[in-house]
Amino acid sequence: MRVKRKSIGTHYSMCVQPTFIIGTYNENGNPDFAPITWISVTCEGEDYLLVVSMYGTKQTKQNIVRTKQLSVNLVSTDMLELVDYFGSTSGKDRWKNDISYSYTVSEYVHAPLLDSSRWIYECEVSEVVKTGESDTFFCRIKNIQIDEDIKVGDTFEIDLVEFKPVIYSGQYHSIGKNLGKIGDFYKK
Ligand SMILES: Cc1cc2nc3c(=O)[nH]c(=O)nc-3n(C[C@H](O)[C@H](O)[C@H](O)COP(=O)(O)O)c2cc1C
């Protein structure tokens, strides 16, 4: 099939990204949480590095620059109120505690873990790259915690559907079915 396309300019961001809430500690010890969707991955040797990018002077960014530690909490579809709340308030103004949520202290990094998340990376920053007003943090993964009721196989054997992730591309979406794995569709 050949798709008939049209040009629409350059100011669209159709970046399909899972939604994560970043957890950090403020200087006074209060936790701060903020949704960040500019998240990707790369590797160094055998290790994966999470690539987390933030714009401006948000509290989360200041906390990461100060502590170099963060939690990266996957957002599932039952966490949309939390995302909206954390994303429309700033820890710069005050502690975000207008709605009910709970967190746990990480044993691996100096960062709070969101109790409602089904997949959490506990990370330490190893490098920062600045582009204009954005900072991109390359983060070493010190530990991963997942919902104990969800089974995963090897590195690539993860059924995302079970985690009910919220996908962000300007608006919130959920995902449909697991279509299969590499090699299921093209046979030599
Ligand atoms: C769905 C969603 C995704 C967001 N993604 C990002 C992002 O990738 N990078 C960023 O710098 N800000 C992003 N934000 C904005 C921050 O979450 C927002 O500025 C927040 O208030 C920062 O809180 P803080 O000052 O306590 O860190 C996003 C907001 C929402 C609602």
Side-chain angles (χ1 to χ4, degrees), residues 133-170:
E133 289 179 52
S134 292
D135 287 60
T136 300
F137 302 99
F138 290 75
C139 306
R140 203 165 288 288
I141 300 167
K142 308 299 274 185
N143 189 46
I144 299 175
Q145 290 188 13
I146 69 165
D147 181 337
E148 62 181 17
D149 291 332
I150 301 178
K151 286 195 178 56
V152 292
D154 68 20
T155 309
F156 295 109
E157 244 182 284
I158 297 164
D159 186 351
L160 264 186
V161 176
E162 295 205 51
F163 290 91
K164 304 184 181 71
V166 171
I167 306 300
Y168 179 78
S169 178

Side-chain angles (χ1 to χ4, degrees), residues 8 29 33 38 52 60 79 88 94 104 108-109 116 136 140-141 149 163:
I8 59 169
F33 290 100
W38 292 350
V52 181
T60 301
M79 295 167 64
S88 58
R94 62 196 180 79
T104 304
Y108 291 83
V109 293
S116 50
T136 300
R140 203 165 288 288
I141 300 167
D149 291 332
F163 290 91

